[in-house]
Amino acid sequence: MVLLELIEKQADGEMLREIPAYAAERIMKAEVELRTCAAKGERTTLRDVQRNGYRERDRDTRAGRIKLEIPKLRKCSYLPSFF
């Protein structure tokens, strides 16, 4: 698990930035799956919106600046709930 690897690392500034980035990635993945009605790469008749790559954004946190890859959608916009 990626999270376990992060916990096992020495407590340094890099680890403190990786934890919020990991959490943000998981939140965005869940939100986009709900919006598209399908997991990434899954084919289903329920899907009404397709993914269209990512846009990179930097986000300032208390732990420092983190880089996020925010999913893009074709027919609608997506903004993570934590923004």
PDB file of all heavy atoms in Angstrom, residues 1-27:
ATOM      1  N   MET A   1       0.841  -1.186   0.000  1.00  0.00           N
ATOM      2  CA  MET A   1       0.000   0.000   0.000  1.00  0.00           C
ATOM      3  C   MET A   1       0.882   1.243   0.000  1.00  0.00           C
ATOM      4  O   MET A   1       1.866   1.319   0.727  1.00  0.00           O
ATOM      5  CB  MET A   1      -0.754  -0.017   1.280  1.00  0.00           C
ATOM      6  CG  MET A   1      -2.204   0.019   1.555  1.00  0.00           C
ATOM      7  SD  MET A   1      -3.481  -0.031   0.430  1.00  0.00           S
ATOM      8  CE  MET A   1      -4.161   1.548   0.716  1.00  0.00           C
ATOM      9  N   VAL A   2       0.511   2.206  -0.748  1.00  0.00           N
ATOM     10  CA  VAL A   2       1.278   3.445  -0.819  1.00  0.00           C
ATOM     11  C   VAL A   2       1.256   4.168   0.519  1.00  0.00           C
ATOM     12  O   VAL A   2       2.271   4.694   0.969  1.00  0.00           O
ATOM     13  CB  VAL A   2       0.734   4.367  -1.932  1.00  0.00           C
ATOM     14  CG1 VAL A   2       1.424   5.705  -1.918  1.00  0.00           C
ATOM     15  CG2 VAL A   2       0.860   3.696  -3.275  1.00  0.00           C
ATOM     16  N   LEU A   3       0.121   4.174   1.180  1.00  0.00           N
ATOM     17  CA  LEU A   3       0.007   4.872   2.451  1.00  0.00           C
ATOM     18  C   LEU A   3       0.922   4.263   3.500  1.00  0.00           C
ATOM     19  O   LEU A   3       1.552   4.976   4.273  1.00  0.00           O
ATOM     20  CB  LEU A   3      -1.444   4.869   2.931  1.00  0.00           C
ATOM     21  CG  LEU A   3      -1.765   5.767   4.118  1.00  0.00           C
ATOM     22  CD1 LEU A   3      -1.333   7.201   3.846  1.00  0.00           C
ATOM     23  CD2 LEU A   3      -3.226   5.716   4.448  1.00  0.00           C
ATOM     24  N   LEU A   4       1.029   2.937   3.524  1.00  0.00           N
ATOM     25  CA  LEU A   4       1.930   2.286   4.473  1.00  0.00           C
ATOM     26  C   LEU A   4       3.373   2.655   4.199  1.00  0.00           C
ATOM     27  O   LEU A   4       4.162   2.868   5.129  1.00  0.00           O
ATOM     28  CB  LEU A   4       1.757   0.767   4.420  1.00  0.00           C
ATOM     29  CG  LEU A   4       0.427   0.239   4.947  1.00  0.00           C
ATOM     30  CD1 LEU A   4       0.350  -1.270   4.759  1.00  0.00           C
ATOM     31  CD2 LEU A   4       0.239   0.594   6.402  1.00  0.00           C
ATOM     32  N   GLU A   5       3.750   2.754   2.929  1.00  0.00           N
ATOM     33  CA  GLU A   5       5.098   3.170   2.576  1.00  0.00           C
ATOM     34  C   GLU A   5       5.368   4.590   3.068  1.00  0.00           C
ATOM     35  O   GLU A   5       6.461   4.893   3.548  1.00  0.00           O
ATOM     36  CB  GLU A   5       5.309   3.100   1.068  1.00  0.00           C
ATOM     37  CG  GLU A   5       5.313   1.697   0.524  1.00  0.00           C
ATOM     38  CD  GLU A   5       5.342   1.673  -0.989  1.00  0.00           C
ATOM     39  OE1 GLU A   5       5.603   2.722  -1.614  1.00  0.00           O
ATOM     40  OE2 GLU A   5       5.093   0.597  -1.545  1.00  0.00           O
ATOM     41  N   LEU A   6       4.371   5.453   2.965  1.00  0.00           N
ATOM     42  CA  LEU A   6       4.529   6.826   3.434  1.00  0.00           C
ATOM     43  C   LEU A   6       4.716   6.874   4.945  1.00  0.00           C
ATOM     44  O   LEU A   6       5.520   7.634   5.461  1.00  0.00           O
ATOM     45  CB  LEU A   6       3.317   7.674   3.037  1.00  0.00           C
ATOM     46  CG  LEU A   6       3.124   7.940   1.557  1.00  0.00           C
ATOM     47  CD1 LEU A   6       1.828   8.688   1.331  1.00  0.00           C
ATOM     48  CD2 LEU A   6       4.285   8.709   0.987  1.00  0.00           C
ATOM     49  N   ILE A   7       3.968   6.043   5.664  1.00  0.00           N
ATOM     50  CA  ILE A   7       4.058   6.025   7.120  1.00  0.00           C
ATOM     51  C   ILE A   7       5.411   5.489   7.571  1.00  0.00           C
ATOM     52  O   ILE A   7       5.979   5.953   8.553  1.00  0.00           O
ATOM     53  CB  ILE A   7       2.898   5.208   7.718  1.00  0.00           C
ATOM     54  CG1 ILE A   7       1.579   5.946   7.471  1.00  0.00           C
ATOM     55  CG2 ILE A   7       3.096   4.960   9.204  1.00  0.00           C
ATOM     56  CD1 ILE A   7       0.356   5.152   7.795  1.00  0.00           C
ATOM     57  N   GLU A   8       5.925   4.499   6.841  1.00  0.00           N
ATOM     58  CA  GLU A   8       7.204   3.906   7.210  1.00  0.00           C
ATOM     59  C   GLU A   8       8.386   4.828   6.946  1.00  0.00           C
ATOM     60  O   GLU A   8       9.459   4.652   7.514  1.00  0.00           O
ATOM     61  CB  GLU A   8       7.408   2.586   6.459  1.00  0.00           C
ATOM     62  CG  GLU A   8       6.466   1.495   6.920  1.00  0.00           C
ATOM     63  CD  GLU A   8       6.534   0.256   6.057  1.00  0.00           C
ATOM     64  OE1 GLU A   8       7.254   0.264   5.040  1.00  0.00           O
ATOM     65  OE2 GLU A   8       5.859  -0.715   6.397  1.00  0.00           O
ATOM     66  N   LYS A   9       8.212   5.822   6.098  1.00  0.00           N
ATOM     67  CA  LYS A   9       9.296   6.760   5.814  1.00  0.00           C
ATOM     68  C   LYS A   9       9.609   7.608   7.040  1.00  0.00           C
ATOM     69  O   LYS A   9       8.793   7.765   7.937  1.00  0.00           O
ATOM     70  CB  LYS A   9       8.904   7.704   4.664  1.00  0.00           C
ATOM     71  CG  LYS A   9       9.033   7.110   3.317  1.00  0.00           C
ATOM     72  CD  LYS A   9       8.777   8.200   2.305  1.00  0.00           C
ATOM     73  CE  LYS A   9       8.946   7.687   0.909  1.00  0.00           C
ATOM     74  NZ  LYS A   9       8.722   8.751  -0.069  1.00  0.00           N
ATOM     75  N   GLN A  10      10.794   8.155   7.029  1.00  0.00           N
ATOM     76  CA  GLN A  10      11.205   9.072   8.080  1.00  0.00           C
ATOM     77  C   GLN A  10      10.342  10.332   8.004  1.00  0.00           C
ATOM     78  O   GLN A  10      10.000  10.798   6.922  1.00  0.00           O
ATOM     79  CB  GLN A  10      12.668   9.415   7.850  1.00  0.00           C
ATOM     80  CG  GLN A  10      13.296  10.244   8.902  1.00  0.00           C
ATOM     81  CD  GLN A  10      14.769  10.465   8.599  1.00  0.00           C
ATOM     82  OE1 GLN A  10      15.255  10.049   7.553  1.00  0.00           O
ATOM     83  NE2 GLN A  10      15.444  11.123   9.494  1.00  0.00           N
ATOM     84  N   ALA A  11       9.983  10.863   9.147  1.00  0.00           N
ATOM     85  CA  ALA A  11       9.132  12.058   9.184  1.00  0.00           C
ATOM     86  C   ALA A  11       9.919  13.265   8.695  1.00  0.00           C
ATOM     87  O   ALA A  11      10.673  13.878   9.434  1.00  0.00           O
ATOM     88  CB  ALA A  11       8.609  12.295  10.583  1.00  0.00           C
ATOM     89  N   ASP A  12       9.763  13.587   7.430  1.00  0.00           N
ATOM     90  CA  ASP A  12      10.429  14.753   6.867  1.00  0.00           C
ATOM     91  C   ASP A  12       9.417  15.573   6.076  1.00  0.00           C
ATOM     92  O   ASP A  12       8.268  15.207   5.945  1.00  0.00           O
ATOM     93  CB  ASP A  12      11.625  14.357   5.994  1.00  0.00           C
ATOM     94  CG  ASP A  12      11.241  13.477   4.822  1.00  0.00           C
ATOM     95  OD1 ASP A  12      10.038  13.199   4.642  1.00  0.00           O
ATOM     96  OD2 ASP A  12      12.130  13.068   4.078  1.00  0.00           O
ATOM     97  N   GLY A  13       9.855  16.698   5.554  1.00  0.00           N
ATOM     98  CA  GLY A  13       8.962  17.586   4.818  1.00  0.00           C
ATOM     99  C   GLY A  13       8.343  16.942   3.590  1.00  0.00           C
ATOM    100  O   GLY A  13       7.197  17.200   3.256  1.00  0.00           O
ATOM    101  N   GLU A  14       9.114  16.091   2.909  1.00  0.00           N
ATOM    102  CA  GLU A  14       8.597  15.440   1.698  1.00  0.00           C
ATOM    103  C   GLU A  14       7.429  14.526   2.036  1.00  0.00           C
ATOM    104  O   GLU A  14       6.423  14.503   1.353  1.00  0.00           O
ATOM    105  CB  GLU A  14       9.718  14.651   1.011  1.00  0.00           C
ATOM    106  CG  GLU A  14       9.307  14.026  -0.296  1.00  0.00           C
ATOM    107  CD  GLU A  14       8.961  15.047  -1.369  1.00  0.00           C
ATOM    108  OE1 GLU A  14       9.485  16.166  -1.331  1.00  0.00           O
ATOM    109  OE2 GLU A  14       8.146  14.721  -2.245  1.00  0.00           O
ATOM    110  N   MET A  15       7.555  13.749   3.106  1.00  0.00           N
ATOM    111  CA  MET A  15       6.478  12.846   3.502  1.00  0.00           C
ATOM    112  C   MET A  15       5.231  13.637   3.876  1.00  0.00           C
ATOM    113  O   MET A  15       4.120  13.245   3.532  1.00  0.00           O
ATOM    114  CB  MET A  15       6.898  11.975   4.679  1.00  0.00           C
ATOM    115  CG  MET A  15       5.809  10.986   5.071  1.00  0.00           C
ATOM    116  SD  MET A  15       6.159  10.090   6.570  1.00  0.00           S
ATOM    117  CE  MET A  15       5.713  11.297   7.784  1.00  0.00           C
ATOM    118  N   LEU A  16       5.421  14.754   4.556  1.00  0.00           N
ATOM    119  CA  LEU A  16       4.276  15.562   4.957  1.00  0.00           C
ATOM    120  C   LEU A  16       3.534  16.140   3.765  1.00  0.00           C
ATOM    121  O   LEU A  16       2.344  16.406   3.847  1.00  0.00           O
ATOM    122  CB  LEU A  16       4.722  16.684   5.898  1.00  0.00           C
ATOM    123  CG  LEU A  16       5.236  16.230   7.256  1.00  0.00           C
ATOM    124  CD1 LEU A  16       5.739  17.423   8.049  1.00  0.00           C
ATOM    125  CD2 LEU A  16       4.181  15.470   8.024  1.00  0.00           C
ATOM    126  N   ARG A  17       4.215  16.336   2.633  1.00  0.00           N
ATOM    127  CA  ARG A  17       3.542  16.800   1.417  1.00  0.00           C
ATOM    128  C   ARG A  17       2.908  15.639   0.658  1.00  0.00           C
ATOM    129  O   ARG A  17       1.911  15.828  -0.036  1.00  0.00           O
ATOM    130  CB  ARG A  17       4.529  17.540   0.526  1.00  0.00           C
ATOM    131  CG  ARG A  17       4.797  18.944   0.973  1.00  0.00           C
ATOM    132  CD  ARG A  17       5.626  19.716  -0.027  1.00  0.00           C
ATOM    133  NE  ARG A  17       6.946  19.138  -0.226  1.00  0.00           N
ATOM    134  CZ  ARG A  17       7.998  19.338   0.548  1.00  0.00           C
ATOM    135  NH1 ARG A  17       7.881  20.102   1.605  1.00  0.00           N
ATOM    136  NH2 ARG A  17       9.160  18.784   0.285  1.00  0.00           N
ATOM    137  N   GLU A  18       3.468  14.442   0.774  1.00  0.00           N
ATOM    138  CA  GLU A  18       2.941  13.293   0.046  1.00  0.00           C
ATOM    139  C   GLU A  18       1.605  12.811   0.608  1.00  0.00           C
ATOM    140  O   GLU A  18       0.753  12.352  -0.145  1.00  0.00           O
ATOM    141  CB  GLU A  18       3.950  12.149   0.057  1.00  0.00           C
ATOM    142  CG  GLU A  18       5.161  12.411  -0.818  1.00  0.00           C
ATOM    143  CD  GLU A  18       6.183  11.286  -0.769  1.00  0.00           C
ATOM    144  OE1 GLU A  18       5.857  10.198  -0.275  1.00  0.00           O
ATOM    145  OE2 GLU A  18       7.312  11.514  -1.229  1.00  0.00           O
ATOM    146  N   ILE A  19       1.406  12.925   1.902  1.00  0.00           N
ATOM    147  CA  ILE A  19       0.164  12.453   2.511  1.00  0.00           C
ATOM    148  C   ILE A  19      -1.054  13.244   2.023  1.00  0.00           C
ATOM    149  O   ILE A  19      -2.032  12.651   1.577  1.00  0.00           O
ATOM    150  CB  ILE A  19       0.278  12.430   4.050  1.00  0.00           C
ATOM    151  CG1 ILE A  19       1.266  11.329   4.459  1.00  0.00           C
ATOM    152  CG2 ILE A  19      -1.085  12.206   4.699  1.00  0.00           C
ATOM    153  CD1 ILE A  19       1.599  11.308   5.922  1.00  0.00           C
ATOM    154  N   PRO A  20      -1.034  14.593   2.050  1.00  0.00           N
ATOM    155  CA  PRO A  20      -2.200  15.316   1.508  1.00  0.00           C
ATOM    156  C   PRO A  20      -2.385  15.080   0.010  1.00  0.00           C
ATOM    157  O   PRO A  20      -3.512  15.032  -0.477  1.00  0.00           O
ATOM    158  CB  PRO A  20      -1.909  16.782   1.783  1.00  0.00           C
ATOM    159  CG  PRO A  20      -0.758  16.828   2.694  1.00  0.00           C
ATOM    160  CD  PRO A  20      -0.094  15.505   2.674  1.00  0.00           C
ATOM    161  N   ALA A  21      -1.290  14.922  -0.736  1.00  0.00           N
ATOM    162  CA  ALA A  21      -1.406  14.659  -2.168  1.00  0.00           C
ATOM    163  C   ALA A  21      -2.075  13.306  -2.403  1.00  0.00           C
ATOM    164  O   ALA A  21      -2.933  13.171  -3.286  1.00  0.00           O
ATOM    165  CB  ALA A  21      -0.029  14.698  -2.830  1.00  0.00           C
ATOM    166  N   TYR A  22      -1.703  12.307  -1.622  1.00  0.00           N
ATOM    167  CA  TYR A  22      -2.309  10.975  -1.742  1.00  0.00           C
ATOM    168  C   TYR A  22      -3.800  11.031  -1.407  1.00  0.00           C
ATOM    169  O   TYR A  22      -4.622  10.475  -2.126  1.00  0.00           O
ATOM    170  CB  TYR A  22      -1.589   9.987  -0.818  1.00  0.00           C
ATOM    171  CG  TYR A  22      -2.195   8.623  -0.809  1.00  0.00           C
ATOM    172  CD1 TYR A  22      -1.944   7.730  -1.843  1.00  0.00           C
ATOM    173  CD2 TYR A  22      -3.022   8.210   0.221  1.00  0.00           C
ATOM    174  CE1 TYR A  22      -2.501   6.459  -1.845  1.00  0.00           C
ATOM    175  CE2 TYR A  22      -3.581   6.950   0.226  1.00  0.00           C
ATOM    176  CZ  TYR A  22      -3.320   6.078  -0.798  1.00  0.00           C
ATOM    177  OH  TYR A  22      -3.888   4.838  -0.798  1.00  0.00           O
ATOM    178  N   ALA A  23      -4.143  11.723  -0.316  1.00  0.00           N
ATOM    179  CA  ALA A  23      -5.540  11.843   0.086  1.00  0.00           C
ATOM    180  C   ALA A  23      -6.354  12.576  -0.979  1.00  0.00           C
ATOM    181  O   ALA A  23      -7.469  12.160  -1.329  1.00  0.00           O
ATOM    182  CB  ALA A  23      -5.641  12.562   1.425  1.00  0.00           C
ATOM    183  N   ALA A  24      -5.799  13.651  -1.527  1.00  0.00           N
ATOM    184  CA  ALA A  24      -6.496  14.408  -2.568  1.00  0.00           C
ATOM    185  C   ALA A  24      -6.727  13.549  -3.801  1.00  0.00           C
ATOM    186  O   ALA A  24      -7.801  13.597  -4.413  1.00  0.00           O
ATOM    187  CB  ALA A  24      -5.699  15.656  -2.932  1.00  0.00           C
ATOM    188  N   GLU A  25      -5.723  12.753  -4.176  1.00  0.00           N
ATOM    189  CA  GLU A  25      -5.853  11.866  -5.339  1.00  0.00           C
ATOM    190  C   GLU A  25      -6.988  10.864  -5.140  1.00  0.00           C
ATOM    191  O   GLU A  25      -7.787  10.627  -6.044  1.00  0.00           O
ATOM    192  CB  GLU A  25      -4.535  11.127  -5.537  1.00  0.00           C
ATOM    193  CG  GLU A  25      -4.537  10.150  -6.680  1.00  0.00           C
ATOM    194  CD  GLU A  25      -3.213   9.397  -6.750  1.00  0.00           C
ATOM    195  OE1 GLU A  25      -2.151  10.029  -6.658  1.00  0.00           O
ATOM    196  OE2 GLU A  25      -3.265   8.158  -6.886  1.00  0.00           O
ATOM    197  N   ARG A  26      -7.083  10.285  -3.960  1.00  0.00           N
ATOM    198  CA  ARG A  26      -8.140   9.307  -3.671  1.00  0.00           C
ATOM    199  C   ARG A  26      -9.520   9.965  -3.684  1.00  0.00           C
ATOM    200  O   ARG A  26     -10.485   9.397  -4.183  1.00  0.00           O
ATOM    201  CB  ARG A  26      -7.896   8.630  -2.324  1.00  0.00           C
ATOM    202  CG  ARG A  26      -6.547   7.932  -2.202  1.00  0.00           C
ATOM    203  CD  ARG A  26      -6.354   6.854  -3.216  1.00  0.00           C
ATOM    204  NE  ARG A  26      -7.320   5.810  -2.999  1.00  0.00           N
ATOM    205  CZ  ARG A  26      -7.488   4.768  -3.777  1.00  0.00           C
ATOM    206  NH1 ARG A  26      -6.744   4.624  -4.840  1.00  0.00           N
ATOM    207  NH2 ARG A  26      -8.402   3.863  -3.533  1.00  0.00           N
ATOM    208  N   ILE A  27      -9.626  11.179  -3.131  1.00  0.00           N
ATOM    209  CA  ILE A  27     -10.906  11.891  -3.120  1.00  0.00           C
ATOM    210  C   ILE A  27     -11.346  12.204  -4.547  1.00  0.00           C
ATOM    211  O   ILE A  27     -12.508  11.982  -4.920  1.00  0.00           O
ATOM    212  CB  ILE A  27     -10.812  13.181  -2.280  1.00  0.00           C
ATOM    213  CG1 ILE A  27     -10.654  12.828  -0.806  1.00  0.00           C
ATOM    214  CG2 ILE A  27     -12.027  14.078  -2.509  1.00  0.00           C
ATOM    215  CD1 ILE A  27     -10.274  14.007   0.067  1.00  0.00           C
TER     216      ILE A  27
END
